[in-house]
Amino acid sequence: FEIRDLNFATPATVTRAGILYIAEAGQWESFVASWVDEGKRHDTEVGKLSSAAAEARAEKLLALFEFYCKPTLAELRKNFKHAVPVLDFAMVQSLCHMLEGLLTVEAMGKTDNVAKFEIYFVYAAVWAFGGTLSSAGGLDYRKVFSKWWREAFKEVKYPLRGEVFDFYVAPDRHEFKSWTDVVPTLSYDPAAMSVASVTVPTDETVSASFWLGRLVANQHPAMLVGFAGCGKTAIVNGLLRSLDPQAYTTTTVNVNYFTNAALFQRVIEAPLEKKGGGNYGPPGAMKLVYFVDDLNMAALDKYNTA
């Protein structure tokens, strides 16, 4: 449990509680070292890379984390405000998860050529650290972050026009291109499609869908945060419709004021089937993706726990 849960505990429980404090400072560095080591071991064991190539990639990644993460985290703590509170560990963990979808052997090749790693690292870092920035108090923190990043890190240069969030790395040429170049043309057939099922693509929806797709493919969770009506549900539904129906099944959980822990559990257990023993899972060999809509709508119980 968390410390706040003791507000409703009896004196007998409080006197028997052992409190363990774990400082956040430096925890992300241990996570990164473990993540890099696990990736190196996996690529070597499955035969994707030679030991020398895997070691070169691991050293390059550690150097990039050291160079970019520490000054960026310090600047964020000092001068920026996120849309929701985000721990340093969470941002670095998100960066690692994003890199898993970018630095694949299929995209990078099987040699120890790590020169092109940095542009992908910068691309992911910009979104991991700045993705939750928004406007507050009349100040657009995304624009401020974009300007700061360009001035602080000149090793990888972004195009002059636009913000750093306006570009992606083209995998065929390993260089920055504008998201507007890959916005698909809307195809709508009113006889076969309802208006509610259509997502109008923009550079914002394309970029969000790209990262959501990468995270889902690697079985990592993602959360979209924004004001009502900004398109969060439409973006996620668009992604869910694009998944291979032979490999994925989806369940949408619409949270409202009256949703409690017991009801939520029943909803997420409904599509599961017994696999054996105490194990449950989606039907067959399919993967199940949960979409929890309006996560903040449920009322807290009298103990402020669920």
Side-chain angles (χ1 to χ4, degrees), residues 288-299:
L288 173 60
V289 179
Y290 287 107
F291 171 31
V292 183
D293 200 11
D294 288 331
L295 185 62
N296 68 324
M297 288 291 290

